[in-house]
Amino acid sequence: MTTDPVPIPAATVVIFRDRAGAPPELLMVERSAAMVFAGGAMVFPGGRIDPGDHALAAELELDDDGPARVAAVRESIEEAGVGPGVTPGDATTIARLRAMLHDGATMGAALDAVGASFDPDVLVPFSRWLPLGMRARIFDTLFYLTRMPEGAPEPSVDATENSRLVWTTAAAMLGEADAGRATIIFPTRRNLERLALFGDYDAAVVQARAHAIRAITPWFEERDGVRHLRIPDDQGYPVTAEPADTVRRA
């Protein structure tokens, strides 16, 4: 009998940029093709929760998801050069933070060194994904929503874990994937379909707060003789099943 690997706690942040009279743009990065997990796929900035994230969350006396909030912002700084909730959030400060984080500093130590602070309340919980049945790595990932900070520097790719960075609408990225010009894995596709429902950031927050966060663990189910990968139908997702032969898993 085989057992699943132990889930790795992780966090992801969906950064919105509202546009007048047009759907909001979302910040996404393309994972380097050599990465073991989701290599070559388009994803939102994020990654595993580190011990330093737990330490800062404890220092700030944050709630249970505090380490995930710290990790989401830290990963956003590392991968995209954007620091939601970080004050000051100017280009110089974020660049210094990014350099220190890339050199191995913890988020808390980096903030102290540049005299910056962190407000975790800018992040709004959106979903939690815990796919099982993976052979290599399983991530237990909390997704958060936030706005692109006012006065923040233009995002830039880190060119290590990621090879490309784009602002895109949810619908446009789904179109790119359907045309074969981009790769998205199953959780990202479902989240993009949900994000495509919203005309702006505030609408996304309203819907997110209407659904209690619980782990979404997809499962296989036969439908009319066709095997599908399914998710619950009460979590705000407009598409809850996909034929198994079209699914891209990490």
Side-chain angles (χ1 to χ4, degrees), residues 8-13 15 45-57 66-86 94 97-111 118-120 122-123 139 144 158 161-162:
I8 300 168
T12 289
V13 59
I15 301 176
R48 69 177 65 208
I49 300 172
D50 291 342
D53 303 327
H54 284 275
L56 180 57
R69 291 174 182 263
V70 175
V73 174
R74 175 181 54 76
E75 290 284 352
S76 177
I77 294 171
E78 291 180 12
E79 296 185 359
V82 178
V86 174
I94 297 301
L97 285 171
R98 191 180 201 182
M100 284 184 282
L101 292 171
H102 281 171
D103 286 342
T106 65
M107 184 68 164
L111 289 171
F118 164 58
D119 177 9
V122 302
L123 301 178
F139 288 93
Y144 293 93
D158 69 358
E161 292 186 5
N162 305 303

Side-chain angles (χ1 to χ4, degrees), residues 48-67:
R48 69 177 65 208
I49 300 172
D50 291 342
D53 303 327
H54 284 275
L56 180 57
E59 179 184 332
L60 298 176
E61 299 181 343
L62 302 183
D63 293 335
D64 290 344
D65 73 333

Side-chain angles (χ1 to χ4, degrees), residues 3-196:
T3 58
D4 288 315
V6 176
I8 300 168
T12 289
V13 59
V14 182
I15 301 176
F16 276 68
R17 185 166 70 177
D18 282 340
R19 301 184 299 162
E25 291 182 319
L26 313 172
L27 185 63
M28 300 191 74
V29 296
E30 183 175 45
R31 300 268 293 168
S32 297
M35 299 298 292
V36 173
F37 180 82
M42 298 299 300
V43 298
F44 302 107
R48 69 177 65 208
I49 300 172
D50 291 342
D53 303 327
H54 284 275
L56 180 57
E59 179 184 332
L60 298 176
E61 299 181 343
L62 302 183
D63 293 335
D64 290 344
D65 73 333
R69 291 174 182 263
V70 175
V73 174
R74 175 181 54 76
E75 290 284 352
S76 177
I77 294 171
E78 291 180 12
E79 296 185 359
V82 178
V86 174
T87 303
D90 58 276
T92 299
T93 300
I94 297 301
R96 291 180 62 195
L97 285 171
R98 191 180 201 182
M100 284 184 282
L101 292 171
H102 281 171
D103 286 342
T106 65
M107 184 68 164
L111 289 171
D112 287 344
V114 302
S117 62
F118 164 58
D119 177 9
D121 292 335
V122 302
L123 301 178
V124 176
F126 185 62
S127 63
R128 177 187 172 195
W129 281 73
L130 177 55
L132 299 177
M134 310 295 287
R135 294 181 180 179
R137 297 178 182 176
I138 290 175
F139 288 93
D140 183 357
T141 307
L142 283 165
F143 284 73
Y144 293 93
L145 308 178
T146 195
R147 295 183 192 272
M148 179 67 173
E150 290 288 337
E154 191 62 24
S156 59
V157 71
D158 69 358
T160 55
E161 292 186 5
N162 305 303
S163 59
R164 183 165 65 102
L165 177 151
V166 297
W167 283 108
T168 178
T169 67
M173 182 53 64
L174 288 167
E176 288 292 291
D178 291 342
R181 293 188 293 267
T183 298
I184 52 177
I185 61 176
F186 183 81
T188 306
R189 177 174 285 277
R190 301 288 82 87
N191 278 302
L192 283 168
E193 289 161 349
R194 184 178 173 190
L195 291 162

